Amino acid sequence: ARYDDDLDIRTTGTLLSRVRVRFNYEVVRAADAAVLAEGYTVHASLDQDGRPRRLPDRIATLFPRGK
């Protein structure tokens, strides 16, 4: 990417378990649809004491189930 390039950040999410969600990212240059970078993060739902807890059903149903 160059200064002043318009970039799109594409994000998709996948439910890995009832506690964890994986987000995949693509950085795409808008002018030519070139994928410039890819990555992912994994997020876990925790309670106030820092222990894993189940995602609420209303959240879990928003994501397709991963393998």
Side-chain angles (χ1 to χ4, degrees):
R2 301 244 186 243
Y3 188 76
D4 277 345
D5 280 354
D6 287 327
L7 302 176
D8 294 324
I9 310 300
R10 299 177 182 167
T11 306
T12 57
T14 304
L15 188 67
L16 297 178
S17 71
R18 291 293 301 169
V19 173
R20 295 182 308 134
V21 177
R22 176 180 165 143
F23 290 98
N24 299 304
Y25 307 97
E26 286 184 335
V27 178
V28 179
R29 186 173 35 234
D32 60 1
V35 177
L36 304 177
E38 296 178 311
Y40 70 91
T41 56
V42 176
H43 302 251
S45 177
L46 305 175
D47 67 15
Q48 291 179 336
D49 296 319
R51 292 186 304 250
R53 65 172 289 205
R54 291 173 63 100
L55 288 163
D57 287 338
R58 64 185 170 77
I59 301 298
T61 58
L62 297 174
F63 299 97
R65 191 89 174 136
K67 294 179 182 159

Short mmCIF file of all heavy atoms in Angstrom, two decimals:
data_model
loop_
_atom_site.label_atom_id
_atom_site.label_comp_id
_atom_site.label_asym_id
_atom_site.label_seq_id
_atom_site.Cartn_x
_atom_site.Cartn_y
_atom_site.Cartn_z
N ALA A 1 0.84 -1.18 0.00
CA ALA A 1 0.00 0.00 0.00
C ALA A 1 0.89 1.24 0.00
O ALA A 1 2.01 1.22 0.50
CB ALA A 1 -0.90 0.00 1.22
N ARG A 2 0.36 2.28 -0.56
CA ARG A 2 1.05 3.56 -0.61
C ARG A 2 0.19 4.59 0.12
O ARG A 2 -1.02 4.42 0.27
CB ARG A 2 1.26 4.00 -2.05
CG ARG A 2 2.07 3.02 -2.86
CD ARG A 2 3.35 3.64 -3.29
NE ARG A 2 4.06 2.76 -4.18
CZ ARG A 2 5.24 2.26 -3.88
NH1 ARG A 2 5.83 2.56 -2.76
NH2 ARG A 2 5.86 1.47 -4.74
N TYR A 3 0.85 5.66 0.54
CA TYR A 3 0.15 6.75 1.18
C TYR A 3 -1.00 7.21 0.29
O TYR A 3 -0.84 7.31 -0.92
CB TYR A 3 1.12 7.91 1.45
CG TYR A 3 0.52 9.01 2.28
CD1 TYR A 3 0.36 8.84 3.65
CD2 TYR A 3 0.09 10.18 1.69
CE1 TYR A 3 -0.19 9.84 4.42
CE2 TYR A 3 -0.48 11.19 2.45
CZ TYR A 3 -0.61 11.02 3.81
OH TYR A 3 -1.17 12.01 4.57
N ASP A 4 -2.14 7.44 0.85
CA ASP A 4 -3.36 7.87 0.17
C ASP A 4 -4.10 6.75 -0.57
O ASP A 4 -5.13 7.01 -1.19
CB ASP A 4 -3.13 9.03 -0.80
CG ASP A 4 -3.13 10.38 -0.10
OD1 ASP A 4 -3.59 10.45 1.06
OD2 ASP A 4 -2.70 11.36 -0.72
N ASP A 5 -3.59 5.51 -0.56
CA ASP A 5 -4.37 4.40 -1.12
C ASP A 5 -5.63 4.21 -0.26
O ASP A 5 -5.56 4.26 0.98
CB ASP A 5 -3.58 3.09 -1.08
CG ASP A 5 -2.59 2.94 -2.21
OD1 ASP A 5 -2.56 3.80 -3.11
OD2 ASP A 5 -1.80 1.97 -2.17
N ASP A 6 -6.75 3.96 -0.92
CA ASP A 6 -7.96 3.55 -0.20
C ASP A 6 -7.85 2.06 0.06
O ASP A 6 -7.61 1.27 -0.87
CB ASP A 6 -9.21 3.84 -1.01
CG ASP A 6 -9.55 5.32 -1.07
OD1 ASP A 6 -9.27 6.03 -0.08
OD2 ASP A 6 -10.08 5.76 -2.10
N LEU A 7 -8.01 1.67 1.32
CA LEU A 7 -7.91 0.27 1.72
C LEU A 7 -9.22 -0.19 2.33
O LEU A 7 -9.89 0.55 3.04
CB LEU A 7 -6.78 0.09 2.75
CG LEU A 7 -5.39 0.54 2.32
CD1 LEU A 7 -4.42 0.39 3.47
CD2 LEU A 7 -4.92 -0.23 1.10
N ASP A 8 -9.57 -1.42 2.04
CA ASP A 8 -10.72 -2.07 2.66
C ASP A 8 -10.20 -3.12 3.61
O ASP A 8 -9.25 -3.86 3.29
CB ASP A 8 -11.61 -2.74 1.61
CG ASP A 8 -12.27 -1.75 0.67
OD1 ASP A 8 -12.63 -0.64 1.12
OD2 ASP A 8 -12.41 -2.07 -0.53
N ILE A 9 -10.81 -3.21 4.78
CA ILE A 9 -10.49 -4.27 5.74
C ILE A 9 -11.69 -5.21 5.75
O ILE A 9 -12.79 -4.83 6.13
CB ILE A 9 -10.25 -3.72 7.16
CG1 ILE A 9 -9.26 -2.56 7.15
CG2 ILE A 9 -9.81 -4.85 8.09
CD1 ILE A 9 -7.90 -2.89 6.62
N ARG A 10 -11.47 -6.43 5.30
CA ARG A 10 -12.54 -7.44 5.25
C ARG A 10 -12.37 -8.37 6.44
O ARG A 10 -11.28 -8.89 6.68
CB ARG A 10 -12.47 -8.22 3.95
CG ARG A 10 -12.65 -7.34 2.73
CD ARG A 10 -12.50 -8.11 1.46
NE ARG A 10 -12.63 -7.23 0.30
CZ ARG A 10 -12.30 -7.57 -0.93
NH1 ARG A 10 -11.85 -8.79 -1.18
NH2 ARG A 10 -12.44 -6.70 -1.92
N THR A 11 -13.45 -8.58 7.15
CA THR A 11 -13.41 -9.40 8.37
C THR A 11 -14.52 -10.44 8.32
O THR A 11 -15.66 -10.12 7.99
CB THR A 11 -13.60 -8.52 9.61
OG1 THR A 11 -12.65 -7.46 9.60
CG2 THR A 11 -13.44 -9.31 10.88
N THR A 12 -14.18 -11.66 8.67
CA THR A 12 -15.17 -12.71 8.84
C THR A 12 -14.90 -13.39 10.19
O THR A 12 -13.76 -13.41 10.66
CB THR A 12 -15.11 -13.77 7.72
OG1 THR A 12 -13.79 -14.33 7.68
CG2 THR A 12 -15.44 -13.16 6.37
N GLY A 13 -15.94 -13.93 10.78
CA GLY A 13 -15.79 -14.59 12.07
C GLY A 13 -16.26 -16.02 12.01
O GLY A 13 -17.19 -16.35 11.26
N THR A 14 -15.61 -16.88 12.80
CA THR A 14 -15.96 -18.29 12.87
C THR A 14 -15.99 -18.71 14.34
O THR A 14 -15.06 -18.40 15.09
CB THR A 14 -14.93 -19.16 12.14
OG1 THR A 14 -14.81 -18.72 10.80
CG2 THR A 14 -15.33 -20.63 12.15
N LEU A 15 -17.03 -19.39 14.74
CA LEU A 15 -17.13 -19.90 16.10
C LEU A 15 -16.26 -21.15 16.22
O LEU A 15 -16.51 -22.16 15.55
CB LEU A 15 -18.59 -20.23 16.42
CG LEU A 15 -18.92 -20.61 17.84
CD1 LEU A 15 -18.72 -19.42 18.77
CD2 LEU A 15 -20.36 -21.10 17.93
N LEU A 16 -15.21 -21.09 17.03
CA LEU A 16 -14.32 -22.24 17.23
C LEU A 16 -14.85 -23.17 18.32
O LEU A 16 -14.68 -24.38 18.25
CB LEU A 16 -12.92 -21.77 17.60
CG LEU A 16 -12.19 -20.94 16.55
CD1 LEU A 16 -10.83 -20.51 17.07
CD2 LEU A 16 -12.02 -21.72 15.25
N SER A 17 -15.44 -22.58 19.33
CA SER A 17 -16.04 -23.34 20.43
C SER A 17 -17.08 -22.44 21.08
O SER A 17 -17.28 -21.31 20.65
CB SER A 17 -14.97 -23.75 21.45
OG SER A 17 -14.53 -22.62 22.18
N ARG A 18 -17.72 -22.90 22.11
CA ARG A 18 -18.71 -22.07 22.81
C ARG A 18 -18.05 -20.92 23.57
O ARG A 18 -18.72 -20.03 24.07
CB ARG A 18 -19.53 -22.93 23.78
CG ARG A 18 -20.44 -23.91 23.08
CD ARG A 18 -21.54 -23.23 22.33
NE ARG A 18 -22.34 -22.43 23.26
CZ ARG A 18 -23.25 -21.56 22.91
NH1 ARG A 18 -23.48 -21.33 21.64
NH2 ARG A 18 -23.92 -20.88 23.80
N VAL A 19 -16.71 -20.93 23.61
CA VAL A 19 -15.96 -19.89 24.32
C VAL A 19 -15.14 -19.02 23.37
O VAL A 19 -14.95 -17.84 23.62
CB VAL A 19 -15.02 -20.55 25.37
CG1 VAL A 19 -14.11 -19.54 26.02
CG2 VAL A 19 -15.84 -21.29 26.42
N ARG A 20 -14.67 -19.59 22.25
CA ARG A 20 -13.72 -18.88 21.38
C ARG A 20 -14.29 -18.58 20.00
O ARG A 20 -14.99 -19.40 19.41
CB ARG A 20 -12.45 -19.72 21.21
CG ARG A 20 -11.68 -19.90 22.49
CD ARG A 20 -10.41 -20.70 22.31
NE ARG A 20 -10.67 -21.95 21.63
CZ ARG A 20 -9.94 -22.42 20.62
NH1 ARG A 20 -8.92 -21.77 20.17
NH2 ARG A 20 -10.24 -23.57 20.07
N VAL A 21 -13.90 -17.40 19.49
CA VAL A 21 -14.26 -16.95 18.15
C VAL A 21 -12.98 -16.55 17.43
O VAL A 21 -12.10 -15.92 18.02
CB VAL A 21 -15.22 -15.74 18.19
CG1 VAL A 21 -15.53 -15.23 16.80
CG2 VAL A 21 -16.50 -16.09 18.92
N ARG A 22 -12.85 -16.94 16.17
CA ARG A 22 -11.71 -16.55 15.34
C ARG A 22 -12.18 -15.52 14.31
O ARG A 22 -13.20 -15.74 13.65
CB ARG A 22 -11.13 -17.77 14.62
CG ARG A 22 -10.00 -17.40 13.67
CD ARG A 22 -9.45 -18.63 12.99
NE ARG A 22 -8.64 -18.26 11.85
CZ ARG A 22 -7.53 -18.88 11.50
NH1 ARG A 22 -7.10 -19.92 12.18
NH2 ARG A 22 -6.85 -18.49 10.45
N PHE A 23 -11.45 -14.41 14.21
CA PHE A 23 -11.72 -13.40 13.20
C PHE A 23 -10.59 -13.43 12.19
O PHE A 23 -9.42 -13.35 12.55
CB PHE A 23 -11.81 -12.00 13.83
CG PHE A 23 -13.04 -11.80 14.66
CD1 PHE A 23 -12.99 -11.94 16.04
CD2 PHE A 23 -14.25 -11.49 14.07
CE1 PHE A 23 -14.12 -11.77 16.81
CE2 PHE A 23 -15.40 -11.31 14.83
CZ PHE A 23 -15.32 -11.45 16.21
N ASN A 24 -10.95 -13.56 10.90
CA ASN A 24 -9.98 -13.52 9.80
C ASN A 24 -10.05 -12.13 9.17
O ASN A 24 -11.14 -11.57 9.03
CB ASN A 24 -10.31 -14.57 8.75
CG ASN A 24 -10.25 -15.96 9.31
OD1 ASN A 24 -9.24 -16.37 9.86
ND2 ASN A 24 -11.35 -16.68 9.22
N TYR A 25 -8.89 -11.60 8.78
CA TYR A 25 -8.82 -10.26 8.22
C TYR A 25 -8.07 -10.29 6.89
O TYR A 25 -7.11 -11.03 6.73
CB TYR A 25 -8.06 -9.31 9.15
CG TYR A 25 -8.57 -9.29 10.56
CD1 TYR A 25 -7.98 -10.06 11.55
CD2 TYR A 25 -9.66 -8.51 10.90
CE1 TYR A 25 -8.45 -10.05 12.85
CE2 TYR A 25 -10.14 -8.49 12.20
CZ TYR A 25 -9.53 -9.27 13.17
OH TYR A 25 -10.00 -9.26 14.47
N GLU A 26 -8.52 -9.45 5.97
CA GLU A 26 -7.81 -9.18 4.73
C GLU A 26 -7.74 -7.67 4.56
O GLU A 26 -8.74 -6.97 4.74
CB GLU A 26 -8.53 -9.74 3.51
CG GLU A 26 -8.47 -11.21 3.33
CD GLU A 26 -9.13 -11.65 2.03
OE1 GLU A 26 -10.01 -10.94 1.51
OE2 GLU A 26 -8.75 -12.72 1.54
N VAL A 27 -6.55 -7.17 4.23
CA VAL A 27 -6.39 -5.77 3.86
C VAL A 27 -6.30 -5.74 2.34
O VAL A 27 -5.42 -6.37 1.75
CB VAL A 27 -5.12 -5.15 4.50
CG1 VAL A 27 -4.96 -3.70 4.06
CG2 VAL A 27 -5.19 -5.26 6.02
N VAL A 28 -7.23 -5.04 1.70
CA VAL A 28 -7.37 -5.06 0.25
C VAL A 28 -7.29 -3.62 -0.28
O VAL A 28 -7.97 -2.73 0.23
CB VAL A 28 -8.73 -5.69 -0.16
CG1 VAL A 28 -8.90 -5.70 -1.67
CG2 VAL A 28 -8.85 -7.09 0.41
N ARG A 29 -6.45 -3.42 -1.29
CA ARG A 29 -6.39 -2.12 -1.95
C ARG A 29 -7.62 -1.98 -2.84
O ARG A 29 -7.90 -2.81 -3.69
CB ARG A 29 -5.11 -1.98 -2.77
CG ARG A 29 -4.91 -0.60 -3.37
CD ARG A 29 -3.59 -0.38 -4.06
NE ARG A 29 -3.10 -1.56 -4.74
CZ ARG A 29 -1.88 -2.10 -4.53
NH1 ARG A 29 -1.03 -1.55 -3.69
NH2 ARG A 29 -1.51 -3.17 -5.20
N ALA A 30 -8.38 -0.91 -2.63
CA ALA A 30 -9.66 -0.73 -3.33
C ALA A 30 -9.48 -0.57 -4.84
O ALA A 30 -10.31 -1.06 -5.62
CB ALA A 30 -10.40 0.48 -2.76
N ALA A 31 -8.41 0.06 -5.29
CA ALA A 31 -8.23 0.36 -6.71
C ALA A 31 -8.13 -0.88 -7.59
O ALA A 31 -8.66 -0.92 -8.69
CB ALA A 31 -6.99 1.23 -6.91
N ASP A 32 -7.46 -1.93 -7.09
CA ASP A 32 -7.25 -3.11 -7.92
C ASP A 32 -7.60 -4.43 -7.22
O ASP A 32 -7.33 -5.50 -7.74
CB ASP A 32 -5.80 -3.17 -8.42
CG ASP A 32 -4.78 -3.23 -7.30
OD1 ASP A 32 -5.18 -3.25 -6.11
OD2 ASP A 32 -3.57 -3.26 -7.61
N ALA A 33 -8.20 -4.35 -6.03
CA ALA A 33 -8.62 -5.52 -5.25
C ALA A 33 -7.46 -6.43 -4.86
O ALA A 33 -7.67 -7.60 -4.57
CB ALA A 33 -9.71 -6.30 -5.97
N ALA A 34 -6.24 -5.89 -4.86
CA ALA A 34 -5.08 -6.69 -4.44
C ALA A 34 -5.13 -6.91 -2.93
O ALA A 34 -5.31 -5.97 -2.15
CB ALA A 34 -3.78 -5.98 -4.82
N VAL A 35 -4.97 -8.17 -2.53
CA VAL A 35 -4.90 -8.50 -1.11
C VAL A 35 -3.48 -8.20 -0.65
O VAL A 35 -2.52 -8.82 -1.11
CB VAL A 35 -5.27 -9.97 -0.85
CG1 VAL A 35 -5.11 -10.32 0.62
CG2 VAL A 35 -6.70 -10.25 -1.32
N LEU A 36 -3.34 -7.25 0.26
CA LEU A 36 -2.02 -6.79 0.70
C LEU A 36 -1.56 -7.48 1.98
O LEU A 36 -0.36 -7.60 2.22
CB LEU A 36 -2.05 -5.28 0.92
CG LEU A 36 -2.49 -4.45 -0.29
CD1 LEU A 36 -2.55 -2.98 0.08
CD2 LEU A 36 -1.56 -4.68 -1.47
N ALA A 37 -2.50 -7.91 2.79
CA ALA A 37 -2.14 -8.59 4.05
C ALA A 37 -3.32 -9.44 4.50
O ALA A 37 -4.48 -9.14 4.21
CB ALA A 37 -1.79 -7.57 5.12
N GLU A 38 -2.99 -10.51 5.20
CA GLU A 38 -3.99 -11.40 5.79
C GLU A 38 -3.56 -11.72 7.22
O GLU A 38 -2.38 -11.75 7.52
CB GLU A 38 -4.12 -12.70 5.02
CG GLU A 38 -4.60 -12.53 3.60
CD GLU A 38 -4.65 -13.86 2.85
OE1 GLU A 38 -3.65 -14.60 2.89
OE2 GLU A 38 -5.70 -14.12 2.24
N GLY A 39 -4.53 -11.96 8.06
CA GLY A 39 -4.22 -12.34 9.43
C GLY A 39 -5.46 -12.79 10.15
O GLY A 39 -6.56 -12.81 9.59
N TYR A 40 -5.28 -13.14 11.42
CA TYR A 40 -6.43 -13.54 12.23
C TYR A 40 -6.13 -13.28 13.70
O TYR A 40 -4.98 -13.12 14.10
CB TYR A 40 -6.80 -15.01 12.00
CG TYR A 40 -5.81 -16.00 12.56
CD1 TYR A 40 -5.95 -16.49 13.86
CD2 TYR A 40 -4.73 -16.45 11.81
CE1 TYR A 40 -5.04 -17.40 14.38
CE2 TYR A 40 -3.83 -17.35 12.32
CZ TYR A 40 -3.99 -17.82 13.61
OH TYR A 40 -3.08 -18.70 14.13
N THR A 41 -7.19 -13.19 14.47
CA THR A 41 -7.09 -13.13 15.92
C THR A 41 -8.10 -14.11 16.49
O THR A 41 -9.11 -14.42 15.86
CB THR A 41 -7.40 -11.71 16.47
OG1 THR A 41 -8.69 -11.29 16.02
CG2 THR A 41 -6.35 -10.70 16.02
N VAL A 42 -7.81 -14.63 17.67
CA VAL A 42 -8.73 -15.51 18.38
C VAL A 42 -9.12 -14.82 19.68
O VAL A 42 -8.25 -14.35 20.42
CB VAL A 42 -8.10 -16.89 18.66
CG1 VAL A 42 -9.04 -17.76 19.48
CG2 VAL A 42 -7.74 -17.58 17.35
N HIS A 43 -10.42 -14.72 19.91
CA HIS A 43 -10.95 -14.04 21.10
C HIS A 43 -11.68 -15.06 21.97
O HIS A 43 -12.40 -15.91 21.46
CB HIS A 43 -11.93 -12.95 20.69
CG HIS A 43 -11.32 -11.93 19.79
ND1 HIS A 43 -11.06 -10.66 20.19
CD2 HIS A 43 -10.90 -12.01 18.50
CE1 HIS A 43 -10.52 -9.98 19.20
NE2 HIS A 43 -10.40 -10.79 18.16
N ALA A 44 -11.48 -14.96 23.27
CA ALA A 44 -12.15 -15.84 24.21
C ALA A 44 -13.05 -15.02 25.11
O ALA A 44 -12.73 -13.88 25.47
CB ALA A 44 -11.14 -16.61 25.05
N SER A 45 -14.17 -15.58 25.47
CA SER A 45 -15.09 -14.96 26.40
C SER A 45 -14.66 -15.36 27.81
O SER A 45 -14.48 -16.54 28.11
CB SER A 45 -16.51 -15.44 26.11
OG SER A 45 -17.41 -14.91 27.03
N LEU A 46 -14.49 -14.35 28.69
CA LEU A 46 -14.04 -14.59 30.06
C LEU A 46 -15.02 -13.99 31.05
O LEU A 46 -15.69 -13.00 30.76
CB LEU A 46 -12.66 -13.96 30.29
CG LEU A 46 -11.55 -14.37 29.33
CD1 LEU A 46 -10.29 -13.57 29.61
CD2 LEU A 46 -11.29 -15.85 29.41
N ASP A 47 -15.05 -14.57 32.25
CA ASP A 47 -15.86 -13.96 33.30
C ASP A 47 -15.04 -12.91 34.03
O ASP A 47 -13.90 -12.62 33.65
CB ASP A 47 -16.42 -15.04 34.25
CG ASP A 47 -15.36 -15.76 35.07
OD1 ASP A 47 -14.21 -15.28 35.16
OD2 ASP A 47 -15.70 -16.82 35.64
N GLN A 48 -15.59 -12.32 35.07
CA GLN A 48 -14.92 -11.25 35.79
C GLN A 48 -13.63 -11.70 36.47
O GLN A 48 -12.76 -10.88 36.77
CB GLN A 48 -15.86 -10.64 36.82
CG GLN A 48 -16.99 -9.86 36.18
CD GLN A 48 -17.93 -9.27 37.20
OE1 GLN A 48 -18.04 -9.74 38.32
NE2 GLN A 48 -18.64 -8.23 36.80
N ASP A 49 -13.49 -13.00 36.71
CA ASP A 49 -12.29 -13.54 37.35
C ASP A 49 -11.26 -14.02 36.33
O ASP A 49 -10.24 -14.59 36.71
CB ASP A 49 -12.66 -14.69 38.29
CG ASP A 49 -13.54 -14.21 39.45
OD1 ASP A 49 -13.27 -13.11 39.98
OD2 ASP A 49 -14.50 -14.93 39.79
N GLY A 50 -11.54 -13.82 35.04
CA GLY A 50 -10.60 -14.22 34.00
C GLY A 50 -10.70 -15.67 33.58
O GLY A 50 -9.85 -16.17 32.86
N ARG A 51 -11.74 -16.35 34.01
CA ARG A 51 -11.95 -17.75 33.62
C ARG A 51 -12.83 -17.82 32.37
O ARG A 51 -13.73 -17.00 32.19
CB ARG A 51 -12.60 -18.52 34.76
CG ARG A 51 -11.70 -18.70 35.97
CD ARG A 51 -12.35 -19.59 37.01
NE ARG A 51 -13.65 -19.07 37.40
CZ ARG A 51 -13.93 -18.55 38.59
NH1 ARG A 51 -13.01 -18.48 39.52
NH2 ARG A 51 -15.14 -18.10 38.87
N PRO A 52 -12.57 -18.80 31.50
CA PRO A 52 -13.39 -18.95 30.29
C PRO A 52 -14.87 -19.13 30.65
O PRO A 52 -15.21 -19.78 31.65
CB PRO A 52 -12.85 -20.22 29.63
CG PRO A 52 -11.49 -20.38 30.19
CD PRO A 52 -11.52 -19.81 31.57
N ARG A 53 -15.72 -18.51 29.86
CA ARG A 53 -17.17 -18.69 30.03
C ARG A 53 -17.82 -18.78 28.66
O ARG A 53 -17.29 -18.28 27.68
CB ARG A 53 -17.78 -17.55 30.82
CG ARG A 53 -17.69 -16.22 30.11
CD ARG A 53 -18.46 -15.16 30.81
NE ARG A 53 -19.88 -15.44 30.63
CZ ARG A 53 -20.83 -14.54 30.69
NH1 ARG A 53 -20.54 -13.30 30.91
NH2 ARG A 53 -22.08 -14.87 30.51
N ARG A 54 -18.94 -19.42 28.61
CA ARG A 54 -19.66 -19.60 27.35
C ARG A 54 -20.14 -18.26 26.81
O ARG A 54 -20.57 -17.40 27.56
CB ARG A 54 -20.86 -20.52 27.55
CG ARG A 54 -20.47 -21.95 27.84
CD ARG A 54 -21.69 -22.78 28.21
NE ARG A 54 -22.63 -22.88 27.11
CZ ARG A 54 -22.74 -23.92 26.29
NH1 ARG A 54 -21.95 -24.95 26.45
NH2 ARG A 54 -23.62 -23.94 25.33
N LEU A 55 -20.07 -18.13 25.48
CA LEU A 55 -20.65 -16.97 24.84
C LEU A 55 -22.17 -17.03 24.97
O LEU A 55 -22.75 -18.11 24.90
CB LEU A 55 -20.30 -16.95 23.35
CG LEU A 55 -18.86 -16.63 22.99
CD1 LEU A 55 -18.57 -17.05 21.55
CD2 LEU A 55 -18.60 -15.15 23.16
N PRO A 56 -22.81 -15.89 25.14
CA PRO A 56 -24.28 -15.91 25.16
C PRO A 56 -24.81 -16.46 23.82
O PRO A 56 -24.21 -16.24 22.76
CB PRO A 56 -24.65 -14.44 25.31
CG PRO A 56 -23.44 -13.77 25.86
CD PRO A 56 -22.26 -14.56 25.35
N ASP A 57 -25.92 -17.17 23.88
CA ASP A 57 -26.50 -17.76 22.67
C ASP A 57 -26.73 -16.71 21.59
O ASP A 57 -26.50 -16.96 20.41
CB ASP A 57 -27.82 -18.47 22.97
CG ASP A 57 -27.61 -19.77 23.72
OD1 ASP A 57 -26.50 -20.33 23.63
OD2 ASP A 57 -28.56 -20.22 24.39
N ARG A 58 -27.16 -15.51 21.96
CA ARG A 58 -27.45 -14.46 20.97
C ARG A 58 -26.19 -14.06 20.21
O ARG A 58 -26.26 -13.65 19.07
CB ARG A 58 -28.10 -13.25 21.63
CG ARG A 58 -27.22 -12.57 22.63
CD ARG A 58 -27.96 -11.42 23.35
NE ARG A 58 -27.21 -10.91 24.45
CZ ARG A 58 -26.17 -10.09 24.35
NH1 ARG A 58 -25.77 -9.69 23.17
NH2 ARG A 58 -25.53 -9.67 25.41
N ILE A 59 -25.02 -14.22 20.81
CA ILE A 59 -23.76 -13.92 20.15
C ILE A 59 -23.28 -15.13 19.36
O ILE A 59 -22.89 -15.03 18.20
CB ILE A 59 -22.68 -13.50 21.17
CG1 ILE A 59 -23.11 -12.28 21.97
CG2 ILE A 59 -21.34 -13.29 20.49
CD1 ILE A 59 -23.34 -11.04 21.13
N ALA A 60 -23.31 -16.29 19.96
CA ALA A 60 -22.81 -17.52 19.32
C ALA A 60 -23.54 -17.81 18.01
O ALA A 60 -22.93 -18.30 17.05
CB ALA A 60 -22.93 -18.69 20.28
N THR A 61 -24.82 -17.50 17.93
CA THR A 61 -25.58 -17.81 16.71
C THR A 61 -25.23 -16.88 15.55
O THR A 61 -25.63 -17.15 14.42
CB THR A 61 -27.09 -17.74 16.98
OG1 THR A 61 -27.42 -16.44 17.47
CG2 THR A 61 -27.53 -18.79 17.97
N LEU A 62 -24.47 -15.82 15.80
CA LEU A 62 -24.07 -14.90 14.72
C LEU A 62 -22.94 -15.45 13.86
O LEU A 62 -22.71 -14.96 12.77
CB LEU A 62 -23.64 -13.56 15.32
CG LEU A 62 -24.69 -12.77 16.06
CD1 LEU A 62 -24.06 -11.54 16.71
CD2 LEU A 62 -25.83 -12.38 15.15
N PHE A 63 -22.24 -16.46 14.35
CA PHE A 63 -21.06 -16.98 13.67
C PHE A 63 -21.27 -18.38 13.14
O PHE A 63 -21.86 -19.22 13.82
CB PHE A 63 -19.86 -17.02 14.65
CG PHE A 63 -19.48 -15.68 15.18
CD1 PHE A 63 -19.94 -15.23 16.39
CD2 PHE A 63 -18.66 -14.85 14.44
CE1 PHE A 63 -19.60 -13.99 16.88
CE2 PHE A 63 -18.30 -13.60 14.91
CZ PHE A 63 -18.77 -13.17 16.14
N PRO A 64 -20.75 -18.67 11.93
CA PRO A 64 -20.79 -20.05 11.45
C PRO A 64 -19.86 -20.91 12.32
O PRO A 64 -18.90 -20.42 12.90
CB PRO A 64 -20.28 -19.96 10.01
CG PRO A 64 -19.53 -18.69 9.94
CD PRO A 64 -20.11 -17.77 10.97
N ARG A 65 -20.17 -22.17 12.39
CA ARG A 65 -19.38 -23.10 13.21
C ARG A 65 -18.12 -23.51 12.45
O ARG A 65 -18.17 -23.87 11.29
CB ARG A 65 -20.24 -24.33 13.50
CG ARG A 65 -19.69 -25.23 14.52
CD ARG A 65 -20.17 -24.80 15.89
NE ARG A 65 -19.69 -25.80 16.81
CZ ARG A 65 -19.14 -25.52 17.96
NH1 ARG A 65 -19.04 -24.29 18.36
NH2 ARG A 65 -18.71 -26.47 18.72
N GLY A 66 -16.95 -23.44 13.11
CA GLY A 66 -15.68 -23.86 12.51
C GLY A 66 -15.47 -25.35 12.67
O GLY A 66 -16.25 -26.06 13.28
N LYS A 67 -14.37 -25.81 12.07
CA LYS A 67 -14.04 -27.25 12.12
C LYS A 67 -13.05 -27.52 13.21
O LYS A 67 -12.22 -26.78 13.56
CB LYS A 67 -13.48 -27.70 10.79
CG LYS A 67 -14.51 -27.62 9.71
CD LYS A 67 -13.95 -28.05 8.38
CE LYS A 67 -15.05 -27.90 7.34
NZ LYS A 67 -14.64 -27.81 6.03
#
